[in-house]
């Protein structure tokens, strides 16, 4: 059963010895015994945390023996009690809780698998392991039986002699994890985190890894509301059921207000107070026993509070809603919106949607199969979940101060949602508060903006005018460029989309030449130190070279009007022409080339959904356009929302059909400067 150790395994073994387990070994036991995965992992971590195959073999036998002799299967309670009487003492693995019995001024423990509710336990043991007073934990317990006490009136013969916790109770776990993290690169750490939940990162794309990491955010972020909808079989419920003792899965969607929030008659606090994460499986079936159940949940998702009679109760459990799509994403978007599988009272309620911090694209998560499960070392689940639980008390939003600015399209709620996601992702990457490099902050910001924008796009589909602007963007650093973040499922192949492009990029249509039809192109220009314009296409289309030459000369000649105090001669521009049709020549694109050069230099984006048409000559005048009606029709077909054309086209567009004229916003420009001002993002 040997496995090839790789670089990540070696780093982990050096830094986290004693907190690791080989994840393939866990799978051999996890279904055989009546204990959660993290209990199995704890034992494996103790006896098989080794690299030597012989030691692992030996350890596996011990674990098998211990689980067999110490876990009580249904119907075996009396057998174990009798053994305790015969032998005077037995060892077992069980969930232990304790309470103070005021009548006798002593503590009593409960062992559910033996159905014992009044086991003697020393006050000292209780104070060493206080968690048994707040919900209990799994432990290896030595249970003694005293025959003399059994003969007394109301005697309690069973007594707990010693306890070994199976869930971690040590408080310095975060420090250990933070120190270990320092030895890994960011990429290695992401892979190691995925291995710790049982997934092998090797065959996964970056988007798939990002989706799986986003799934972990509710564990480290308080009051975090996540929705994940996607195909069946992607392991949605596994993480919330098996990996952490701090998570609770409600399957089948039936929830009572008393169980979720508070029982008004007894005052007993509900799941959101007791657990870090409450996950609803099969969200389409969620229903509450009371009419106002959804409203209570809505209020809780907004503020983290709910009321019981007069008092208001705060809790910090995160809410996760997972469910299945029965159709593909594109079809779902055609017939409605991506939150369609939600229950009716949530499906079209934009106020409810506004409380969702992130929509995880479940269609980006691979279906779980044998190849995706890891055979390498990962963190023992209880160590990992203890670290996650402690991270909830921290925030990483402070890291964004002065480094990241969000664009104007984000409302206050959007900003809160994005900040929570960024904070959660950065806690996963950096368990200790350290200085985080820009690229990792940018990685988290892009995931967070996309996941929140997906919620916003669904609100827009329901038709609420207030959610019209969904062009989420951010600026990183002092003189950074505004970058826009899109949700990939909205980009139709070959279409233009509504999102602003990066600075230096412009959509344009070439009117075609001798034997070419008109075609859609995108010009992409980058600038850096140096001088001149380099075209990267191999070979360079002569017609495009000519247009770019005109644009370059106009930029030098009219720099003051176009780009103010920037001197274009001090910059080198690299340009690339991308064709989206059969047309390849790229002729008569001078105005679009000039706009691309200027926006690259100004670090400003052109408006989303805009096509720029026209040619400029060496003297700076705009050439007439042949057959502009044809170009407008092509623009509409490509999904453009606006078209900038020379004003000389105005009379020829009389022939444009009413239908075409209403589907696109046609604007005219008189010269290059006028075109540039109209093209740039407002």
């Amino acid at each position: 059963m040997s496995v090839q150790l790789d670089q990540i395994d070696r780093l982990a073994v050096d830094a986290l010895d004693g907190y690791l387990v080989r994840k393939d070994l866990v799978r051999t036991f996890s279904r055989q015994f009546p204990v959660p995965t993290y209990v199995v992992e704890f034992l494996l971590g103790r006896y098989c945390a080794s690299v030597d195959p012989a030691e692992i073999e030996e350890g596996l036998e011990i674990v098998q023996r211990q689980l067999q002799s110490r876990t009580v299967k249904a119907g075996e309670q009396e057998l174990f009690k009798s053994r305790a009487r015969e032998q005077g003492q037995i060892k077992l693995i069980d969930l232990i809780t304790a309470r103070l019995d005021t009548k006798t001024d002593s503590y009593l423990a409960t062992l559910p698998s033996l159905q014992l509710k009044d086991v003697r336990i020393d006050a000292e043991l209780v104070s060493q392991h206080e968690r048994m007073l707040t919900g209990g934990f799994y432990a290896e317990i030595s249970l003694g039986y005293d025959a003399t006490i059994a003969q007394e009136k109301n005697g309690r013969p069973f007594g707990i002699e010693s306890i070994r916790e199976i869930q971690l109770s040590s408080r310095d776990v975060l420090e250990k994890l933070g120190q270990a993290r320092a030895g890994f690169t960011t990429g290695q750490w992401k892979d190691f985190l995925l291995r710790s939940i049982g997934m092998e990162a090797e065959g996964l794309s970056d988007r798939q890894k990002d989706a799986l990491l986003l799934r972990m955010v509710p564990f480290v972020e308080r009051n975090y509301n996540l929705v994940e909808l996607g195909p069946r079989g992607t392991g949605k419920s596994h993480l919330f059921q098996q990996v952490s003792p701090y998570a609770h899965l409600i399957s089948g969607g039936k929830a009572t207000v008393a169980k979720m929030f508070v029982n008004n008659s007894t005052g007993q606090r509900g799941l959101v107070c007791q657990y870090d994460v409450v996950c609803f499986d099969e969200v389409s079936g969620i229903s509450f026993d009371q009419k106002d159940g959804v409203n209570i949940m809505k209020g809780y998702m907004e503020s983290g509070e709910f009321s019981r009679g007069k008092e208001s109760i705060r809790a910090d459990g995160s809410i996760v809603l997972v469910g299945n799509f029965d159709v593909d994403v594109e079809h779902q978007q055609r017939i409605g919106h991506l939150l369609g599988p939600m229950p009716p009272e949530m499906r079209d309620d934009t106020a409810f949607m506004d409380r969702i911090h992130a929509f995880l694209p479940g269609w980006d998560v691979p279906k779980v199969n044998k190849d995706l499960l890891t055979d390498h070392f990962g963190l023992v689940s209880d160590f990992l979940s203890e670290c996650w639980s402690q991270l909830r008390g921290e925030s990483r939003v402070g890291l964004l101060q002065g480094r990241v600015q969000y664009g104007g399209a984000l409302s206050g709620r959007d900003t809160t949602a994005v900040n929570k996601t960024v904070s959660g992702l950065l806690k996963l990457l950096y368990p200790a508060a350290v200085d985080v490099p820009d690229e990792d902050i940018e990685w988290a910001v892009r995931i967070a903006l996309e996941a929140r924008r997906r919620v916003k796009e669904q609100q827009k589909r329901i038709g609420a005018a207030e959610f019209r602007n969904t062009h989420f963007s951010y600026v990183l650093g002092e003189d950074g460029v505004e970058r826009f973040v899109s949700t990939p499922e909205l980009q139709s192949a070959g279409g233009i989309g509504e999102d602003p492009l990066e600075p230096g990029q412009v959509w344009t249509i070439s009117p075609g030449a001798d034997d070419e039809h008109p075609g859609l192109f995108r010009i992409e220009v980058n600038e850096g130190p140096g001088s001149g314009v380099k075209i990267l296409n191999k070979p360079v289309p002569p017609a495009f070279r000519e247009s770019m030459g005109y644009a370059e000369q106009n930029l030098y000649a009219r720099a003051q009007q176009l780009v103010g105090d920037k001197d274009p001669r001090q910059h080198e521009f690299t340009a690339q022409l991308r064709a989206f049709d059969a047309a390849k020549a790229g002729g008569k694109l001078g105005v679009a080339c000039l706009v691309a050069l200027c926006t690259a230099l100004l670090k400003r984006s052109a408006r989303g959904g805009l096509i720029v048409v026209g040619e400029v000559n060496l003297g700076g005048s705009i050439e007439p356009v042949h057959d502009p009606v044809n170009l407008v029709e092509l623009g509409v077909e490509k999904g453009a929302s606006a078209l900038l054309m020379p004003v000389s086209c105005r009379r020829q567009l009389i022939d444009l059909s009413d239908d075409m004229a209403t589907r696109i916003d046609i604007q005219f420009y008189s010269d290059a400067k006028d075109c540039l001002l109209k093209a740039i993002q407002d």
Side-chain angles (χ1 to χ4, degrees):
M1 289 195 68
S2 70
V3 73
Q4 280 316 115
L5 290 193
D6 63 8
Q7 176 72 24
I8 299 178
D9 287 329
R10 285 191 206 95
L11 286 169
V13 170
D14 287 347
L16 289 156
D17 195 27
Y19 298 106
L20 298 174
V21 62
R22 254 188 43 207
K23 295 291 174 171
D24 54 330
L25 305 180
V26 178
R27 296 196 289 275
T28 53
F29 291 108
S30 55
R31 296 282 180 268
Q32 289 179 36
F33 299 100
V35 290
T37 309
Y38 50 84
V39 173
V40 177
E41 287 201 6
F42 179 83
L43 294 171
L44 286 169
R46 186 189 299 161
Y47 297 110
C48 304
S50 154
V51 205
D52 173 14
E55 282 180 34
I56 288 182
E57 272 309 314
E58 205 176 312
L60 284 176
E61 283 172 29
I62 299 174
V63 173
Q64 179 81 22
R65 247 197 338 269
Q66 290 209 348
L67 283 168
Q68 251 163 359
S69 64
R70 296 181 182 181
T71 54
V72 184
K73 295 200 172 75
E76 292 183 342
Q77 316 70 305
E78 296 307 320
L79 180 67
F80 272 77
K81 289 182 201 168
S82 145
R83 266 189 214 152
R85 178 178 178 273
E86 302 304 321
Q87 299 164 9
Q89 187 201 41
I90 55 165
K91 283 191 162 36
L92 75 150
I93 294 174
D94 203 356
L95 180 69
I96 179 170
T97 51
R99 67 184 193 283
L100 179 64
D101 179 37
T102 45
K103 285 188 188 128
T104 59
D105 186 33
S106 62
Y107 287 98
L108 294 178
T110 302
L111 298 175
S113 68
L114 293 181
Q115 295 171 355
L116 290 173
K117 289 200 167 71
D118 55 352
V119 183
R120 287 173 290 112
I121 184 167
D122 247 10
E124 201 176 312
L125 270 182
V126 176
S127 67
Q128 278 168 16
H129 304 279
E130 287 189 329
R131 268 173 53 180
M132 64 173 84
L133 296 170
T134 60
F137 54 84
Y138 272 89
E140 292 180 303
I141 299 152
S142 292
L143 182 68
Y145 182 88
D146 188 328
T148 53
I149 299 183
Q151 287 160 13
E152 295 171 11
K153 188 181 178 212
N154 295 337
R156 294 181 170 131
F158 288 102
I160 284 171
E161 291 168 11
S162 68
I163 286 178
R164 256 176 109 170
E165 283 217 20
I166 278 188
Q167 289 173 3
L168 280 166
S169 55
S170 73
R171 283 270 155 249
D172 59 346
V173 288
L174 254 187
E175 214 173 295
K176 286 199 181 81
L177 195 67
Q179 287 162 356
R181 163 66 177 98
F184 289 75
T185 65
T186 300
Q188 288 169 332
W189 186 253
K190 287 181 192 171
D191 291 359
F192 180 58
L193 274 180
L194 293 175
R195 286 179 177 181
S196 295
I197 62 162
M199 304 292 274
E200 181 47 63
E202 185 90 353
L204 299 177
S205 69
D206 284 347
R207 269 194 80 75
Q208 291 174 325
K209 288 184 196 176
D210 292 349
L212 287 165
L213 289 163
L214 181 55
R215 216 182 242 182
M216 301 175 193
V217 171
F219 288 91
V220 295
E221 196 59 34
R222 288 178 176 164
N223 298 108
Y224 185 75
N225 308 321
L226 176 82
V227 165
E228 177 181 353
L229 301 172
R232 294 166 203 283
T234 56
K236 288 192 278 280
S237 48
H238 167 81
L239 185 63
F240 302 102
Q241 195 168 23
Q242 292 292 341
V243 174
S244 169
Y246 296 109
H248 184 82
L249 186 78
I250 300 176
S251 43
K254 286 274 175 279
T256 67
V257 172
K259 190 175 154 194
M260 270 295 290
F261 301 105
V262 63
N263 183 330
N264 277 339
S265 51
T266 65
Q268 172 72 41
R269 303 286 157 99
L271 296 170
V272 291
C273 302
Q274 295 168 9
Y275 287 94
D276 288 353
V277 183
V278 178
C279 172
F280 287 91
D281 201 6
E282 302 296 346
V283 67
S284 52
I286 290 187
S287 58
F288 280 98
D289 57 335
Q290 296 174 20
K291 268 224 165 56
D292 59 349
V294 168
N295 288 336
I296 296 176
M297 181 145 128
K298 220 154 81 173
Y300 173 69
M301 286 167 77
E302 171 70 16
S303 62
E305 295 187 4
F306 49 89
S307 54
R308 168 180 178 249
K310 290 207 175 81
E311 64 167 331
S312 182
I313 300 173
R314 269 211 69 79
D316 56 23
S318 297
I319 301 259
V320 177
L321 307 168
V322 302
N324 295 320
F325 264 161
D326 292 322
V327 290
D328 66 2
V329 178
E330 310 229 314
H331 180 65
Q332 182 67 36
Q333 293 202 101
R334 279 200 300 275
I335 58 171
H337 59 84
L338 294 179
L339 287 164
M342 303 285 272
E345 57 270 36
M346 301 176 187
R347 184 180 307 151
D348 295 326
D349 179 348
T350 53
F352 173 77
M353 292 180 191
D354 228 11
R355 290 157 170 72
I356 298 168
H357 296 128
F359 185 142
L360 190 156
W363 50 92
D364 279 346
V365 183
K367 292 206 176 221
V368 178
N369 59 29
K370 281 209 294 292
D371 305 339
L372 278 181
L373 300 173
T374 188
D375 293 342
H376 290 274
F377 283 98
L379 285 168
V380 177
S381 295
D382 53 353
F383 177 81
L384 180 67
S385 51
E386 184 64 47
C387 291
W388 282 355
S389 191
Q390 289 183 27
L391 278 169
R392 292 171 77 79
E394 303 182 9
S395 168
R396 297 280 189 272
V397 176
L399 290 169
L400 306 179
Q401 241 80 55
R403 288 173 77 175
V404 176
Q405 277 178 298
Y406 298 126
L410 279 83
S411 67
R413 271 201 183 133
D414 296 330
T415 305
T416 307
V418 170
N419 279 341
K420 279 178 98 82
T421 309
V422 171
S423 172
L425 288 166
L426 293 178
K427 282 189 240 184
L428 290 168
L429 281 203
Y430 294 95
V434 291
D435 195 31
V436 178
D438 277 358
E439 62 264 28
D440 290 337
I441 286 195
E442 184 163 20
W443 167 82
V445 166
R446 291 192 74 89
I447 293 177
L449 284 169
E450 184 196 312
R452 174 63 185 180
R453 177 171 175 181
R454 191 170 285 109
V455 175
K456 200 88 171 197
E457 290 289 354
Q458 311 322 311
Q459 294 175 311
K460 181 165 137 187
R461 278 176 176 254
I462 292 172
E466 67 201 272
F467 305 111
R468 193 169 66 239
N469 187 357
T470 56
H471 297 315
F472 281 13
S473 62
Y474 66 95
V475 175
L476 191 67
E478 284 299 306
D479 50 351
V481 177
E482 184 173 21
R483 298 192 185 283
F484 291 84
V485 176
S486 63
T487 55
E489 66 275 2
L490 287 174
Q491 306 306 91
S492 58
I496 284 180
E498 283 291 290
D499 285 341
L501 297 168
E502 302 271 313
Q505 299 189 3
V506 178
W507 289 107
T508 180
I509 291 177
S510 162
D514 313 332
D515 51 355
E516 260 197 4
H517 289 296
L520 177 71
F521 292 89
R522 189 167 72 220
I523 300 170
E524 300 179 0
V525 173
N526 287 308
E527 61 80 36
S531 63
V533 174
K534 278 204 179 80
I535 297 176
L536 301 177
N537 296 58
K538 296 269 181 292
V540 179
F544 177 60
R545 182 190 284 125
E546 187 180 33
S547 289
M548 187 53 91
Y550 294 155
E552 183 183 2
Q553 293 312 317
N554 273 279
L555 176 61
Y556 297 154
R558 297 184 177 67
Q560 190 63 46
Q561 298 171 22
L562 293 167
V563 291
D565 54 2
K566 292 189 173 11
D567 180 1
R569 291 180 193 276
Q570 303 296 312
H571 296 260
E572 181 188 69
F573 299 92
T574 53
Q576 198 163 11
L577 180 69
R578 293 190 187 279
F580 287 80
D581 285 311
K584 296 287 178 268
K588 300 206 180 336
L589 300 179
V591 177
C593 290
L594 186 54
V595 170
L597 293 169
C598 293
T599 55
L601 201 52
L602 294 166
K603 302 213 178 328
R604 299 283 302 276
S605 290
R607 295 187 342 233
L610 172 76
I611 292 179
V612 176
V613 172
E615 176 68 300
V616 61
N617 63 23
L618 280 177
S621 10
I622 306 296
E623 306 257 311
V625 174
H626 173 65
D627 194 6
V629 172
N630 194 1
L631 305 193
V632 173
E633 287 172 349
L634 181 62
V636 170
E637 181 192 318
K638 295 293 180 185
S641 53
L643 197 58
L644 263 173
M645 307 186 95
V647 69
S648 58
C649 300
R650 202 165 51 107
R651 290 198 183 82
Q652 294 160 272
L653 289 177
I654 291 296
D655 299 338
L656 190 66
S657 71
D658 293 352
D659 174 43
M660 285 291 163
T662 52
R663 284 168 64 184
I664 195 164
D665 174 19
I666 302 170
Q667 297 172 0
F668 300 107
Y669 60 87
S670 54
D671 57 22
K673 182 186 174 190
D674 185 32
C675 180
L676 178 64
L677 290 174
K678 287 175 175 165
I680 287 178
Q681 258 306 101
D682 307 332

